[in-house]
Amino acid sequence: MAEELSLRERKKRETRQRIADVAMGLFMLRGFEKVTVADVAEAADVSVNTVFNYFPTKEDLFFDRQDAAVQSLGRVVADRRPGESAVRAVRRDFHAALDERDWRYGITGGSPDFSRMVNESPALVARMRQMGDLREEYLARVLAEETDAGPDDPTPRLVAAQLVALTRVVAGEFLRRRLAGESLQTVLPPVRAAADRGFDLVESGVGAYAVKDPPPA
């Protein structure tokens, strides 16, 4: 029974990913606004109802990794190393993402095309802003849990706002340079330096916040 359930879940994940991949291909080809859910269903060889079972809205099809994006900073902080602060953990993860060319901070080779599609659609622009707010709220909740902050303590929200703003501004600088025609290899060093300046500033204020206790001896 457990094996059957596992197989069923794996097939569901595969179907979801296939639908999302087909949808993104259509969005890149025609533009988000010109693609309907029916178009996606036909191209993916599934029913419209099946698409909606996995993705309640067309925006969810575009941002198919929304949950991972919203929770990423919170997870980095929750999984920080013993003796590591929240800011230091995010700094380490940010540099790792650059080294790995990972998408989680929006600094990838495909970012310019992705950004153009978003900016051409008011619905996607609104969803992107909502995701930023959700990311900040999620990180604030994690910080509050990790520091046992009371409901009236604004510190977790203040720290979360600084970290989310820092990563957003640096990602914006990366995108600005890429849209201006600079190559990925040329852009990464100054973007990395800008991130370090930002992290230095944040650490000077809240660098000792949410330091994880070492394990008991």
Side-chain angles (χ1 to χ4, degrees):
M1 184 64 180
E3 290 184 3
E4 291 179 2
L5 181 62
S6 176
L7 178 61
R8 188 180 307 121
E9 289 302 316
R10 185 167 67 251
K11 287 184 175 180
K12 287 173 63 176
R13 287 195 297 268
E14 291 172 353
T15 299
R16 184 185 190 280
Q17 189 61 56
R18 180 165 56 86
I19 294 171
D21 290 344
V22 167
M24 185 55 70
L26 291 175
F27 294 150
M28 292 183 68
L29 183 65
R30 306 180 194 171
F32 178 79
E33 299 292 348
K34 294 181 180 179
V35 176
T36 67
V37 174
D39 293 333
V40 174
E42 181 179 3
D45 195 24
V46 297
S47 70
V48 170
N49 284 341
T50 296
V51 175
F52 280 125
N53 284 340
Y54 289 98
F55 303 97
T57 69
K58 193 169 77 164
E59 290 76 24
D60 292 321
L61 273 167
F62 188 88
F63 293 112
D64 63 296
R65 294 187 286 188
Q66 173 178 300
D67 289 347
V70 166
Q71 297 172 13
S72 60
L73 285 179
R75 289 179 175 176
V76 168
V77 170
D79 295 337
R80 68 198 185 284
R81 299 167 179 171
E84 193 172 49
S85 70
V87 178
R88 180 64 62 173
V90 174
R91 184 176 199 155
R92 173 175 54 79
D93 187 69
F94 181 89
H95 282 296
L98 259 62
D99 293 339
E100 300 160 4
R101 303 293 192 270
D102 190 89
W103 65 271
R104 59 188 181 269
Y105 290 95
I107 299 179
T108 66
S111 294
D113 292 334
F114 186 87
S115 177
R116 290 188 188 97
M117 282 194 289
V118 169
N119 290 331
E120 289 171 357
S121 168
L124 293 181
V125 170
R127 174 60 69 88
M128 183 71 86
R129 289 173 179 165
Q130 181 187 47
M131 287 170 58
D133 292 342
L134 292 172
R135 194 178 202 193
E136 185 176 315
E137 292 170 10
Y138 187 87
L139 176 57
R141 288 200 301 272
V142 171
L143 287 168
E145 292 170 1
E146 293 292 313
T147 60
D148 294 321
D152 296 327
D153 184 354
T155 309
R157 298 191 299 276
L158 290 169
V159 175
Q162 291 181 64
L163 287 172
V164 170
L166 191 163
T167 58
R168 183 181 66 248
V169 169
V170 173
E173 176 64 11
F174 169 84
L175 186 60
R176 182 188 70 78
R177 287 173 172 267
R178 290 285 284 134
L179 290 173
E182 295 185 49
S183 69
L184 185 64
Q185 290 73 20
T186 301
V187 167
L188 286 178
V191 165
R192 192 185 294 272
D196 277 330
R197 288 194 296 273
F199 280 114
D200 285 344
L201 289 170
V202 175
E203 281 201 86
S204 70
V206 294
Y209 181 73
V211 175
K212 188 171 184 176
D213 293 334

